[in-house]
Amino acid sequence: QFFVFCHGLLQLSQLLVSGYLKSSISTIERRYGLSSQTSGLLASFNEVGNTLLIVFISYFGSRVHRPRFIGCGAILVSLAGFLMSLPHFITGPYEYDQSVASMFSNTTDLCQPGVPGSRGNLSDAGCTPHAARENHEVLLVMFIAQALLGIGGVPIQPFGISYIDDFASERNSPLYLGILFSVTTIGPGVAFMLGSAMLRFYVDIDKVTGDAVQLTNEDPRWVGAWWLGFLVAASLVAVSAVPYFFFPREMPKEVGEVLRIALLALHTNTSYFPLVLLRNLRHPVYLLVVLAQVNLSAMVAGLATFMGKFLERQFSLTASLANMIIGAVNIPGAMVGIVVGGAILKRFQMSLRQCSAMCVLGMFLCLLMAFPLLFLGCPTQKVAGVTYSESSEFGHHALECNLQCNCPEKAYNPICGSNTIEYISPCSAGCGVVIINAGDSSVLNYANCSCISENGLAGFAKPGTCGTGCSHLFLPFVVLSCLAGILASTSHTPSFMLILRSIQPEDKSFAVGIQFMLLRVLAWMPGPVLYGSAIDTTCILWEKKCDRKAACRYYDNNLFRQR
């Protein structure tokens, strides 16, 4: 029972490391200038290390000291978690364009006519060879960490499950495995809640004093302390790894006849490997159900990675709140669906045909619920020179009202004009004056803005984005997406039953192994990358770093939602 407790704790903290990355992905994109395609690849990269090794591990399962192997894997996972946070410590402080000169920079992004030469330093400051190299190093470290995370996670689940199943009594084994399964489903929810808590802190909380930070977490330039969560999660993994080095290789069995079903035990008939593989893949029910699961899992993998980003952009939420919603509403909803599906199965003792009917019904109802989500959203706010131009003959950025300002091209410090049009920076709105709160040197508003005209007078602007004005659709969106998730996940258990009951009993563990393999290769790996690429196609203004595309500043929200 102590082993089951330790294993629950370890699986939870392992999921914290991998789930936490998904919760802070939009923040990491902004901090290091990544496209969603890159961040999607990063998010799914741990599956690479995992897939390469899972076959070997399953093969050697019964011949090694399993607890010690689990402990070593956990140490690797913990190392990976600490590595993920390393970029924060090897790079300088986060820099953003400011209107008020500060300890970082004496440049400002206000409109200053007649100062032509001094503006270049704002845009090209971050483009030394050193900065470019730093960015490559950051990506390299993170990809290595993700690969290590995958490799370290390999022995944890299969060995833990087979160890428990070998030494637990037949009566208790399902209970123990049920406990582990529920922990596995809670894990991602806890990870998103952790993300929600950590992203409230400013990224450089350890490098700058609080009063030097001029951003609030509603600001589009805000970057939360993404690295803190990795330190917390990695420390938890390290602590849960310790007991494994003290468990015996074999335990006295709990009282009761033991069913020795070694999970994923490929070593029973390795010689027939190709034969069994063909036999299973030729089985139409098995093949179709696995393909259906692949489609569903690819969707879940993409959504888990980018749902937070979607909520942030569509409904102008902070990253913290978006994670809170996913962790407290969507993931628990999916858990409820899985439990309900299992309960219905058990209550009505369903046949295979009824199982498949239940799966189809769940999916159909899910589609009905999810269909309105296509329309629940708003277009991107009007952004001068990006989504909106007062006179069409002027191209990008060239509003004639700010020609005399010599604006740096890359400045990004969105402000919301009194005419409800957003400007990329105070300079592009032609604002010459900034009004500052004496107490904490935060910007109150901008005045004398030549591009914002009201009744012939120069208008003013507030710092921060205008937002999409979509808050009224937020609640219906959350409710419908949660219901759709519950309905879709009711088919989780019946689809497993279809697989387990439609194949020959001696192929069972093998078939499950192959199924997970296919899910990894066809769904969990490509899912986030495909989603990220689709999201990238809807970007309308890219941040430029050293003449390469970095993170996306503005998306076409309608296209983002539909794609």
Side-chain angles (χ1 to χ4, degrees):
Q1 284 166 340
F2 182 59
F3 184 87
V4 174
F5 169 75
C6 288
H7 206 63
L9 194 64
L10 177 61
Q11 279 200 324
L12 181 69
S13 19
Q14 177 204 359
L15 281 163
L16 266 187
V17 179
S18 56
Y20 181 77
L21 173 67
K22 291 183 166 51
S23 78
S24 51
I25 203 97
S26 64
T27 301
I28 293 174
E29 277 182 18
R30 190 174 302 163
R31 173 67 184 84
Y32 293 110
L34 310 179
S35 69
S36 290
Q37 185 177 32
T38 309
S39 67
L41 184 61
L42 179 65
S44 63
F45 203 69
N46 57 332
E47 302 293 351
V48 176
N50 210 313
T51 309
L52 292 176
L53 282 174
I54 197 96
V55 177
F56 295 109
I57 286 291
S58 314
Y59 182 71
F60 291 118
S62 57
R63 309 172 195 184
V64 295
H65 192 308
R66 284 175 291 188
R68 212 166 277 167
F69 249 70
I70 295 173
C72 292
I75 297 290
L76 264 184
V77 169
S78 165
L79 185 71
F82 286 121
L83 262 181
M84 280 304 293
S85 67
L86 183 65
H88 170 73
F89 299 101
I90 57 177
T91 54
Y94 170 56
E95 289 167 0
Y96 50 90
D97 299 332
Q98 296 175 317
S99 311
V100 185
S102 73
M103 50 189 274
F104 295 127
S105 68
N106 50 5
T107 56
T108 102
D109 52 13
L110 291 173
C111 177
Q112 292 169 315
V115 199
S118 68
R119 303 318 300 266
N121 54 4
L122 195 105
S123 49
D124 300 324
C127 206
T128 54
H130 169 71
R133 197 177 70 242
E134 200 174 61
N135 228 15
H136 286 301
E137 283 165 10
V138 164
L139 272 181
L140 189 64
V141 168
M142 287 185 152
F143 272 100
I144 290 173
Q146 277 288 86
L148 280 182
L149 179 64
I151 293 167
V154 168
I156 294 177
Q157 202 166 6
F159 280 4
I161 289 175
S162 64
Y163 191 82
I164 290 169
D165 206 53
D166 282 357
F167 305 122
S169 70
E170 191 185 333
R171 206 186 57 201
N172 290 346
S173 180
L175 170 71
Y176 295 150
L177 295 180
I179 291 171
L180 285 188
F181 181 66
S182 61
V183 167
T184 318
T185 43
I186 292 167
V190 180
F192 276 97
M193 299 302 272
L194 179 66
S196 173
M198 294 305 168
L199 295 178
R200 288 190 187 134
F201 300 110
Y202 181 65
V203 62
D204 290 323
I205 195 168
D206 56 332
K207 298 179 187 171
V208 299
T209 49
D211 52 349
V213 181
Q214 296 173 2
L215 301 180
T216 65
N217 63 1
E218 270 95 29
D219 193 291
R221 294 164 299 160
W222 172 267
V223 168
W226 59 272
W227 50 277
L228 252 175
F230 285 116
L231 295 183
V232 172
S235 311
L236 264 175
V237 175
V239 171
S240 3
V242 175
Y244 285 92
F245 293 99
F246 302 100
F247 282 111
R249 182 180 182 138
E250 307 211 321
M251 278 189 190
K253 298 180 177 65
E254 275 188 342
V255 188
E257 188 55 35
V258 172
L259 265 174
R260 290 197 61 127
I261 304 173
L263 251 135
L264 298 172
L266 301 180
H267 50 267
T268 42
N269 32 3
T270 324
S271 48
Y272 306 122
F273 189 93
L275 226 152
V276 184
L277 182 61
L278 280 173
R279 183 165 69 208
N280 278 327
L281 290 182
R282 270 214 318 270
H283 197 300
V285 175
Y286 177 78
L287 195 61
L288 286 168
V289 174
V290 169
L291 281 178
Q293 284 187 339
V294 161
N295 278 297
L296 188 63
S297 300
M299 185 187 84
V300 171
L303 273 183
T305 310
F306 292 115
M307 176 84 159
K309 185 185 175 78
F310 177 79
L311 293 176
E312 286 169 46
R313 297 293 180 149
Q314 284 288 331
F315 304 107
S316 311
L317 304 185
T318 64
S320 176
L321 181 60
N323 284 334
M324 176 79 97
I325 296 293
I326 296 169
V329 180
N330 288 78
I331 293 178
M335 285 165 58
V336 168
I338 292 175
V339 173
V340 167
I344 294 175
L345 260 192
K346 195 173 178 183
R347 173 77 184 74
F348 297 111
Q349 299 288 310
M350 293 184 155
S351 67
L352 279 191
R353 184 156 290 169
Q354 286 168 319
C355 271
S356 61
M358 183 177 156
C359 288
V360 170
L361 184 66
M363 287 300 145
F364 179 67
L365 289 173
C366 166
L367 277 180
L368 276 185
M369 286 288 165
F371 186 67
L373 297 183
L374 264 175
F375 309 102
L376 284 182
C378 308
T380 312
Q381 62 270 36
K382 287 180 177 172
V383 183
V386 181
T387 59
Y388 171 83
S389 60
E390 289 170 10
S391 52
S392 47
E393 64 265 22
F394 287 103
H396 207 46
H397 285 316
L399 302 158
E400 59 181 345
C401 52
N402 64 20
L403 283 180
Q404 84 281 10
C405 299
N406 302 312
C407 292
E409 211 168 278
K410 301 187 180 117
Y412 179 66
N413 174 8
I415 59 170
C416 186
S418 47
N419 54 1
T420 66
I421 290 170
E422 189 169 318
Y423 295 84
I424 300 172
S425 69
C427 188
S428 66
C431 301
V433 179
V434 59
I435 296 156
I436 296 167
N437 179 352
D440 56 358
S441 77
S442 60
V443 173
L444 288 177
N445 62 2
Y446 296 93
N448 285 11
C449 306
S450 52
C451 294
I452 310 169
S453 56
E454 284 183 302
N455 321 328
L457 300 167
F460 65 94
K462 293 197 306 294
T465 166
C466 289
T468 49
C470 233
S471 45
H472 60 291
L473 292 176
F474 177 52
L475 196 65
F477 185 93
V478 172
V479 171
L480 280 177
S481 71
C482 184
L483 281 174
I486 292 174
L487 288 165
S489 47
T490 51
S491 64
H492 183 275
T493 317
S495 69
F496 264 104
M497 282 300 128
L498 279 174
I499 284 179
L500 292 175
R501 289 192 199 158
S502 65
I503 48 192
Q504 294 167 353
E506 67 269 21
D507 293 348
K508 198 172 283 188
S509 60
F510 184 81
V512 172
I514 293 297
Q515 171 202 12
F516 275 113
M517 190 78 175
L518 289 172
L519 281 178
R520 281 229 160 82
V521 176
L522 299 177
W524 295 106
M525 273 188 214
V529 184
L530 289 170
Y531 264 69
S533 308
I535 290 172
D536 280 345
T537 61
T538 67
C539 183
I540 44 183
L541 180 67
W542 288 96
E543 167 196 9
K544 288 276 196 296
K545 263 192 186 168
C546 306
D547 299 326
R548 67 171 188 87
K549 285 195 306 194
C552 184
R553 301 280 199 212
Y554 292 103
Y555 291 96
D556 180 327
N557 275 349
N558 286 336
L559 284 179
F560 188 167
R561 189 172 63 249
Q562 290 153 4
R563 287 183 194 171

